[in-house]
Amino acid sequence: MTDAVVDTEEPAKKSKMPLIIGVVLAVAGAGGGFFAVQSGLLPFGHKAAPESAHMTKEAPEGVDSGETAEDIANLAFIEMEPIVISLQSPSGIRHLRFRAQLEVDLVHQAEVEKVLPRVVDVLNSYLRALEVKDLSDPMALPKLRAQMLRRINIATGQGRVRDLLIMDFVLN
């Protein structure tokens, strides 16, 4: 009979050095990436503040700090006639009264006034396509305003109308 020799040696422990090196490299890469984004080396993330933000002058109350007094002096507001739209709802016919003004630069005022009937037509068509349920969302007005401004810019030419100021938006 032969006796079998059993090797009872424990396997050698694996080194944890690769794990430690991996963690250190990951932390260094994350830190480097964070620094690159924050310092503006990469084209996304926080943008550097414009030079005007470092000025100590404060803008008058109600005025966008990005606009100068000259920009504000060169603005014109074109008042639109009120639009009344009939909307179908489950409870019957309801009426939407809409009145707005267009904010334009003085240089574009005559051009926009010339195509104002087209603007009214575009808004009339858009508002008639709405349903009462579209107006029940609390965020409906900002969304509608953005959609109307986009359509107005298509009708008047890009960049002529700066903003749409809603004066009345009443559903009866």
Side-chain angles (χ1 to χ4, degrees):
M1 258 189 24
T2 59
D3 288 332
V5 177
V6 178
D7 191 14
T8 59
E9 289 182 27
E10 292 181 25
K13 287 188 177 182
K14 292 185 179 179
S15 173
K16 292 188 180 184
M17 188 56 78
L19 178 64
I20 294 172
I21 291 173
V23 169
V24 168
L25 289 176
V27 169
F34 178 78
F35 174 75
V37 169
Q38 290 297 326
S39 64
L41 295 174
L42 296 177
F44 47 86
H46 295 290
K47 294 182 180 176
E51 291 298 321
S52 62
H54 299 292
M55 296 172 60
T56 57
K57 286 185 179 178
E58 291 186 22
E61 188 173 328
V63 175
D64 182 14
S65 61
E67 295 179 341
T68 64
E70 185 177 320
D71 290 340
I72 295 169
N74 290 328
L75 289 180
F77 296 94
I78 301 172
E79 188 159 347
M80 297 174 51
E81 293 293 321
I83 299 173
V84 178
I85 305 291
S86 298
L87 299 173
Q88 192 69 29
S89 74
S91 62
I93 295 177
R94 308 215 28 206
H95 293 92
L96 171 67
R97 184 175 192 276
F98 175 80
R99 186 173 61 95
Q101 291 186 6
L102 303 175
E103 180 181 319
V104 298
D105 290 323
L106 279 175
V107 296
H108 299 302
Q109 183 177 5
E111 297 167 346
V112 173
E113 285 176 343
K114 192 173 186 177
V115 295
L116 196 56
R118 182 176 293 159
V119 171
V120 171
D121 178 60
V122 167
L123 292 179
N124 207 351
S125 300
Y126 176 71
L127 292 171
R128 286 193 185 278
L130 294 177
E131 296 178 9
V132 174
K133 66 179 182 174
D134 297 330
L135 305 175
S136 62
D137 179 23
M139 290 301 296
L141 193 57
K143 291 176 186 175
L144 295 172
R145 182 174 178 244
Q147 287 293 321
M148 288 187 281
L149 183 58
R150 186 177 67 81
R151 285 170 168 76
I152 290 168
N153 276 323
I154 291 170
T156 60
Q158 195 63 34
R160 287 191 172 88
V161 176
R162 293 174 55 136
D163 203 359
L164 173 68
L165 307 171
I166 297 176
M167 301 290 124
D168 287 333
F169 195 87
V170 181
L171 186 62
N172 292 336

